[in-house]
């Protein structure tokens, strides 16, 4: 019983900003690595940013210096602050989380349902 729910997507003009949130809920012992992926029409899903349980981060070259990933372990939530948005950032954004469920000793990767980000004038 684990669920990831994204929020914060929408329509924004080029150069604008959005903040995406992804909250994990359920019988969770610990959230390990968390991340954001995106998928544009006709393209493969790609990693945008990831963050470990100790807040070590990694970014795709296309979003470096524009996006910031962060997490709140108490809230079991991962965020993606997006600035200087470009039309090519338009995609469905998905969060994922490596979760150790209560009473288990192994992790499972869960995915959210996705939130649409559209960058257009």
């Amino acid at each position: 019983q684990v669920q990831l729910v994204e929020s914060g997507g929408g329509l924004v003009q080029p150069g604008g900003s959005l903040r995406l949130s992804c909250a994990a809920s359920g019988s969770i012992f610990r959230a390990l690595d968390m991340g954001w992926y995106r998928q544009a029409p006709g393209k493969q899903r790609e990693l945008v940013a990831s963050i470990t349980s100790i807040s070590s981060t990694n970014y795709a070259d296309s979003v470096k210096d524009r996006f910031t990933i962060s997490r709140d372990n108490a809230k079991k939530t991962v965020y993606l602050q997006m600035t200087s948005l470009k039309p090519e950032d338009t995609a469905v954004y998905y969060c994922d989380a490596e979760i150790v469920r209560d009473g288990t000793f192994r992790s499972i990767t869960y995915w959210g349902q996705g939130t649409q980000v559209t960058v257009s004038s």
Side-chain angles (χ1 to χ4, degrees), residues 48-99:
V48 176
S50 62
I51 184 167
T52 71
S53 61
I54 58 171
S55 297
S56 178
T57 59
N58 191 37
Y59 297 91
D61 288 342
S62 60
V63 306
K64 286 181 179 178
D65 303 319
R66 297 191 299 120
F67 292 7
T68 301
I69 188 170
S70 61
R71 64 190 291 161
D72 185 330
N73 288 332
K75 296 181 178 179
K76 299 181 179 65
T77 300
V78 62
Y79 305 93
L80 186 68
Q81 179 67 53
M82 305 184 294
T83 62
S84 301
L85 283 162
K86 305 174 181 180
E88 49 264 46
D89 295 318
T90 296
V92 177
Y93 284 71
Y94 301 87
C95 69
D96 83 322
E98 186 182 5
I99 299 293

